[in-house]
């Protein structure tokens, strides 16, 4: 860790900051009785003299914690993970981002079904209960919209938080059935090289997926961090393709059709192709590239004073595992290797941390992730050269945060 001496003068949160946090309560719309009770309970000097609030409600958040799912000004059809409020690597189900093309369907799990047909020996339809009778698999994977980072690339503004910059990626422990198990049950024929996945929403989202991926690690999942999927994340069951574009992970999955060629649906012609600077387009961009984002310090956080501060963030790659993450505090002139406090697991968010002693002068913070294939996040300049000025999807270049002398932190692009 080189010059880092975290035991020397680590700043503790000031009384002023704590009081400001408490002040948030006044403006928040709090309705649940327990939240009200908690909020009204004075903080006693002697806690044994004040009974706690009754526990008549399951798992609600402290009224002092108010993560906001949808940032102001974001269009309908999506909600964004507030990365600046999170620790560790898992995204609570309630804070998982959501992106839907035509609303969230209300699906009764007792009438839900998934049909497998096409180039198969015996077409079959499974109820949800039947899907749950197959041997299950539980794995942690990130899920990222291929449009993630597009806002920050196309229209960077200083008042963008990590949520607005990269809130369309989340990380979840998923439970479900391997698609390979289902394909074995119906007996996929040798000529079947592709599988069409279709959603049961008004948008009827459809994508063609190579058979090879379906057999390797694709899952039909029905649970998210230990409980049933949230409606916005595909309840009661969805497709999950580890490390691949979010849009291919079809929610409210109702049909898998084995085919000899891709269907070339709306989602793989008018959308989800990537225009290149030479005027051609990249047709399929299945895999998500290596990427990282600093989540602290970042807008709207303010550093209270100079001294030791942890620079924290997440890194991920669709090509396997993050090998290491570099952090720069001088705009990219010098780089330091961050620690990975939670280790690195394949195809999932990896937490990084670097302790930084701020001298109180303006500073520019950057993060740069590497993965086990040797891939590294490009600079914005390198990215533009290869992908052009206005790529449609897959925004993976290095981003920056500017710390001003007064401790305010803004997005630097
Ligand atoms: N049926 C259906 N599946 C869908 C979508 C949709 O609109 N309908 N949106 C896709 C897109 S663009 C993304 S990024 C992911 C988002 O998954 P999430 O909402 O669970 O985060 O779902 C994909 N699957
Ligand atoms: Mo997406």
């Amino acid at each position: 860790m080189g010059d880092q001496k975290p035991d020397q003068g680590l700043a503790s949160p000031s009384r002023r900051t704590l009081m400001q946090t408490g002040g948030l309560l006044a403006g928040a719309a709090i309705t649940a009785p327990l939240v009200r009770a908690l909020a009204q309970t004075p903080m006693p000097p002697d806690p044994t003299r004040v009974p706690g609030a009754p526990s008549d409600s399951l798992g609600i958040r402290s009224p002092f914690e108010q993560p906001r799912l949808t940032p102001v000004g974001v269009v309908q059809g999506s909600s964004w993970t507030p990365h600046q409020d999170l620790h560790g690597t898992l995204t609570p189900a309630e804070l998982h981002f959501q992106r839907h093309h035509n609303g969230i369907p209300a699906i009764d799990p007792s009438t839900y079904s998934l049909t497998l047909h096409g180039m198969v020996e015996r077409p079959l339809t499974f109820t949800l209960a039947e899907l749950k009778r197959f041997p299950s698999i539980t794995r942690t994977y990130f899920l990222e919209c291929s449009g993630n980072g597009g806002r920050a690339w196309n229209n960077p503004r200083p008042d963008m938080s990590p949520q607005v910059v990269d809130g369309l990626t989340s990380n979840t422990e998923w439970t479900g059935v391997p698609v390979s198990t289902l394909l074995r049950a119906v007996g996929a024929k040798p000529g079947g090289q592709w599988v069409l996945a279709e959603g049961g929403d008004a948008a009827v989202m459809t994508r063609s997926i190579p058979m090879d991926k379906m057999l390797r690690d694709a899952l039909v999942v029905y649970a998210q961090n230990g409980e049933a999927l949230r409606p916005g994340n595909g309840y009661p069951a969805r497709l999950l393709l580890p490390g691949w574009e979010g849009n291919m992970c079809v929610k409210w999955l109702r049909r898998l059709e084995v085919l000899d060629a891709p269907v070339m649906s709306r989602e793989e012609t008018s959308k989800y192709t990537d225009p290149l600077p030479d005027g051609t387009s990249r047709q399929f961009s299945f895999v998500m590239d290596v990427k990282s984002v600093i989540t602290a310090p970042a807008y709207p956080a303010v550093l209270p004073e100079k001294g030791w501060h942890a620079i924290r963030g997440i890194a991920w790659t669709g090509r396997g595992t993050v090998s290491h993450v570099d952090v720069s505090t001088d705009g990219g002139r010098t780089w330091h290797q961050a620690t990975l406090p939670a280790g690195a697991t394949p195809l999932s968010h990896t937490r990084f941390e670097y302790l930084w002693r701020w001298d109180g002068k303006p500073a520019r913070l950057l993060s740069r992730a590497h993965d086990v294939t040797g891939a590294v996040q490009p600079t914005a300049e390198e990215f533009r050269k290869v992908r052009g000025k206005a790529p449609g999807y897959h925004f993976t270049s290095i981003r920056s945060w500017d710390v001003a002398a007064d401790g305010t932190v803004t997005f630097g692009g």
Side-chain angles (χ1 to χ4, degrees), residues 72-140:
V72 176
V74 163
V75 286
Q76 240 187 329
S78 62
S79 60
W80 303 46
T81 295
H83 290 297
Q84 65 275 9
D85 298 323
L86 301 186
H87 307 272
T89 56
L90 283 182
T91 311
E94 185 193 353
L95 302 179
H96 194 289
F97 86 88
Q98 297 174 26
R99 169 79 185 100
H100 13 82
H101 292 83
N102 203 345
I104 301 171
I107 299 178
D108 179 343
S110 67
T111 56
Y112 167 85
S113 70
L114 170 63
T115 298
L116 276 83
H117 66 134
M119 298 172 67
V120 301
E121 301 295 342
R122 347 156 247 290
L124 286 174
T125 295
F126 302 104
T127 65
L128 183 65
E130 285 165 348
L131 287 178
K132 288 180 179 170
R133 285 173 60 188
F134 283 103
S136 69
I137 268 200
T138 295
R139 293 277 187 281
T140 299

Side-chain angles (χ1 to χ4, degrees), residues 157-168:
R157 288 196 334 254
D159 62 346
M160 284 180 157
S161 66
Q163 177 180 36
V164 179
V165 171
D166 257 349
L168 294 175

Side-chain angles (χ1 to χ4, degrees), residues 96-101 143 145 199 201 205 232-233 238 246-247 249-252 272:
H96 194 289
F97 86 88
Q98 297 174 26
R99 169 79 185 100
H100 13 82
H101 292 83
L143 174 65
C145 175
D201 52 337
M205 185 90 186
N233 300 121
R238 78 175 305 165
N247 69 74
C249 301
V250 172
K251 300 191 277 190
W252 313 294
Y272 305 120

Side-chain angles (χ1 to χ4, degrees), residues 116 177-184 195 214-215 218-220 239 256:
L116 276 83
V177 198
V179 172
S180 59
T181 303
L182 302 177
L183 286 170
R184 211 170 300 126
V195 179
M214 289 302 227
L215 294 176
L219 300 173
V220 172
L239 187 62
L256 291 173

Side-chain angles (χ1 to χ4, degrees), residues 93 160 162 173 183 221 262 363 384 400:
M160 284 180 157
E173 187 202 81
L183 286 170
V221 296
R384 196 174 287 112
S400 64

Side-chain angles (χ1 to χ4, degrees), residues 42-369:
M43 280 194 263
D46 177 359
T48 62
R49 304 190 134 254
V50 180
S55 51
D56 57 356
S57 180
L58 280 175
I60 57 168
R61 198 166 277 132
S62 159
F64 293 98
E65 301 291 333
Q66 298 286 335
R68 201 173 52 197
L69 196 45
T70 306
V72 176
V74 163
V75 286
Q76 240 187 329
S78 62
S79 60
W80 303 46
T81 295
H83 290 297
Q84 65 275 9
D85 298 323
L86 301 186
H87 307 272
T89 56
L90 283 182
T91 311
E94 185 193 353
L95 302 179
H96 194 289
F97 86 88
Q98 297 174 26
R99 169 79 185 100
H100 13 82
H101 292 83
N102 203 345
I104 301 171
I107 299 178
D108 179 343
S110 67
T111 56
Y112 167 85
S113 70
L114 170 63
T115 298
L116 276 83
H117 66 134
M119 298 172 67
V120 301
E121 301 295 342
R122 347 156 247 290
L124 286 174
T125 295
F126 302 104
T127 65
L128 183 65
E130 285 165 348
L131 287 178
K132 288 180 179 170
R133 285 173 60 188
F134 283 103
S136 69
I137 268 200
T138 295
R139 293 277 187 281
T140 299
Y141 294 126
F142 77 84
L143 174 65
E144 183 182 18
C145 175
S146 55
N148 195 32
R151 250 171 193 273
W153 175 265
N154 291 321
N155 184 22
R157 288 196 334 254
D159 62 346
M160 284 180 157
S161 66
Q163 177 180 36
V164 179
V165 171
D166 257 349
L168 294 175
T169 185
S170 302
N171 196 56
T172 297
E173 187 202 81
W174 306 99
T175 298
V177 198
V179 172
S180 59
T181 303
L182 302 177
L183 286 170
R184 211 170 300 126
V186 296
K189 291 182 179 165
Q193 292 302 308
W194 291 77
V195 179
L196 177 78
E198 182 184 271
D201 52 337
V204 198
M205 185 90 186
T206 45
R207 286 257 8 209
S208 318
I209 296 134
M211 179 60 91
D212 171 58
K213 177 66 174 175
M214 289 302 227
L215 294 176
R216 200 181 333 144
D217 58 2
L219 300 173
V220 172
V221 296
Y222 44 77
Q224 173 177 17
N225 294 340
E227 60 175 335
L229 293 184
R230 298 283 166 132
N233 300 121
Y235 181 85
R238 78 175 305 165
L239 187 62
L240 203 283
L241 303 175
W244 284 30
E245 289 184 322
N247 69 74
M248 306 181 76
C249 301
V250 172
K251 300 191 277 190
W252 313 294
L253 184 67
R254 72 168 178 193
R255 195 162 74 85
L256 291 173
E257 183 178 356
V258 179
L259 300 162
D260 58 0
V263 167
M264 304 313 295
S265 73
R266 178 189 58 193
E267 258 62 59
E268 34 215 28
T269 49
S270 85
K271 292 187 197 175
Y272 305 120
T273 54
D274 294 292
L276 297 173
D278 66 3
T280 64
S281 279
R282 190 167 71 177
Q283 182 172 50
F284 293 125
S285 310
F286 299 140
V287 182
M288 301 307 293
D289 288 317
V290 66
K291 201 172 166 186
S292 68
V293 63
I294 290 173
T295 57
Y299 178 86
V302 178
L303 294 182
E305 58 193 14
K306 60 186 186 181
W308 289 102
H309 295 278
I311 297 173
R312 300 194 167 108
I314 46 170
W316 62 98
T317 172
R319 297 181 197 280
T321 309
V322 169
S323 58
H324 58 291
V325 182
D326 305 319
V327 168
S328 173
T329 60
D330 58 10
R333 273 190 296 280
T334 58
W335 294 89
H336 313 270
Q337 193 169 328
T339 58
L340 308 179
T345 359
L347 307 172
S348 56
H349 286 175
T350 298
R351 173 70 54 181
F352 67 87
E353 186 170 277
Y354 173 73
L355 291 187
W356 170 51
R357 189 173 205 167
W358 182 41
D359 59 9
K361 299 198 183 96
R364 173 163 269 212
L365 315 180
L366 285 76
S367 67
R368 179 176 71 185

